[in-house]
Amino acid sequence: MSSPKHERTGPDGVGAVPYLPLSSASDVPGDQSIGRLVGDATQHISTLVRAEMELAKSELVGEVKKGLKGAVFFLIALTVFLYSTFFFFFFLAEGFADWFRSLHRWGAFGIVFVVMLLVAGAAGYLGYRKVKKFKAPERTIASVKETAAALKPQRAPEADLTTTRD
């Protein structure tokens, strides 16, 4: 069963979510056995859990889609910014050549190139220092090993097979 509120043709494109009927026209109070009530309760709990899982999944899918769209725009902005820096460095070199009249154009471009290499080297060194600090998730590894050891079937010590039977 699905709620009319959660149809597949909704604006968010999320699938139908099951729901629990509160009462049925065929239910007569006091006319049901304990077994049927327990069975109905079990079915309703199962449906409720599935509905909650479906709702969480649909919400997460929607949020992830929004996040991905935002990430695409950030990547576009970053790409345009990186291509724009190319022109900034030309501007900087030409500015050096104009500002220092005794400096040739090739010298100005050389200075900009060396500054770019120094900045790239410093950023690479800082990145290397940060990556070098990474450690293995020791607690997680230990926990997984403990869980694997606990789930391994324990064998009873085998009897000595070299003894003879009487």
Side-chain angles (χ1 to χ4, degrees):
M1 291 184 250
S2 65
S3 171
K5 186 174 161 185
H6 296 98
E7 293 182 10
R8 290 192 183 274
T9 58
D12 57 356
V14 178
V17 177
Y19 74 100
L20 294 174
L22 296 178
S23 63
S24 174
S26 64
D27 290 343
V28 178
D31 204 26
Q32 296 178 343
S33 67
I34 297 289
R36 176 162 174 161
L37 290 174
V38 169
D40 287 347
T42 304
Q43 179 185 6
H44 290 319
I45 289 173
S46 173
T47 303
L48 181 63
V49 168
R50 277 188 265 126
E52 290 295 327
M53 296 297 288
E54 186 68 30
L55 179 62
K57 183 175 122 182
S58 66
E59 285 179 340
L60 284 175
V61 165
E63 292 303 313
V64 166
K65 283 182 181 179
K66 287 180 198 174
L68 286 176
K69 287 178 185 176
V72 166
F73 287 118
F74 278 122
L75 286 174
I76 291 170
L78 181 63
T79 303
V80 170
F81 172 75
L82 289 176
Y83 280 117
S84 299
T85 58
F86 176 76
F87 297 106
F88 171 74
F89 293 124
F90 270 105
F91 163 77
L92 197 60
E94 291 292 341
F96 282 158
D98 273 351
W99 196 14
F100 303 109
R101 295 282 181 202
S102 62
L103 186 63
H104 294 287
R105 278 184 78 207
W106 62 266
F109 278 93
I111 290 172
V112 169
F113 177 69
V114 168
V115 168
M116 289 172 66
L117 286 180
L118 290 174
V119 169
Y125 176 70
L126 291 174
Y128 171 73
R129 283 185 48 200
K130 291 290 183 187
V131 169
K132 195 169 119 177
K133 290 182 181 180
F134 281 162
K135 295 180 182 176
E138 295 166 3
R139 292 187 311 190
T140 303
I141 292 171
S143 173
V144 168
K145 284 181 181 179
E146 288 174 9
T147 304
L151 294 177
K152 268 188 181 175
Q154 301 295 324
R155 290 188 177 172
E158 294 183 23
D160 190 10
L161 298 177
T162 60
T163 60
T164 59
R165 290 188 181 174
D166 289 313

